Amino acid sequence: MERTTVFNEFKTILSAHVPGNKTKTLDSLTEQTNMADDLEIESLDIVSIVIDIEEKFHIEIDNDSIRRMSTVGSCINLIQEKLCSNCSAANCQQATSRQPMYNTITA
């Protein structure tokens, strides 16, 4: 799955969990956007976001991985990592579409 597609799907998931006073932040969302500081997402919200991610992308996210979910970029990296680990194809398109962390994608 292309990184831009993961970004857009993740943005849709976030939109259901961002407090009303931060919805405009979603318009200028980048990979550097901090989940707690910029979007005011609390730890309980992270649990719901993880559940939504797992359902949407058909992946499992362990507790250690959840701790790495500090920015939008780190979340996208995690999703792509989990997607790729589920892929058994030798020429995995997900691995080749991975971008370095903090590559800016804007909506």
Side-chain angles (χ1 to χ4, degrees):
M1 183 177 294
E2 293 293 323
R3 190 168 183 87
T4 304
T5 304
V6 174
F7 177 86
N8 290 330
E9 294 292 339
F10 183 64
K11 182 177 177 179
T12 300
I13 290 169
L14 281 179
S15 67
H17 301 282
V18 172
N21 65 332
K22 290 295 180 177
T23 54
K24 285 194 180 244
T25 306
L26 289 173
D27 295 336
S28 58
L29 196 72
T30 68
E31 291 199 27
Q32 291 79 29
T33 302
N34 186 284
M35 303 280 283
D37 297 339
D38 300 327
L39 298 176
E40 296 181 4
I41 292 176
E42 299 175 356
S43 57
L44 188 56
D45 296 318
I46 291 290
V47 173
S48 296
I49 290 168
V50 167
I51 291 168
D52 289 350
I53 290 170
E54 290 177 332
E55 290 175 359
K56 175 68 182 175
F57 295 101
H58 307 288
I59 59 175
E60 290 184 27
I61 300 175
D62 56 85
N63 289 337
D64 288 336
S65 296
I66 292 171
R67 290 185 190 100
R68 297 184 352 222
M69 297 175 64
S70 59
T71 65
V72 171
S74 64
C75 294
I76 293 170
N77 288 341
L78 175 63
I79 293 167
Q80 286 195 302
E81 174 187 308
K82 297 296 182 179
L83 284 170
C84 202
S85 70
N86 289 343
C87 180
S88 60
N91 59 351
C92 178
Q93 292 297 313
Q94 294 164 22
T96 58
S97 69
R98 249 198 225 158
Q99 299 295 319
M101 192 169 177
Y102 300 117
N103 181 27
T104 303
I105 296 177
T106 55

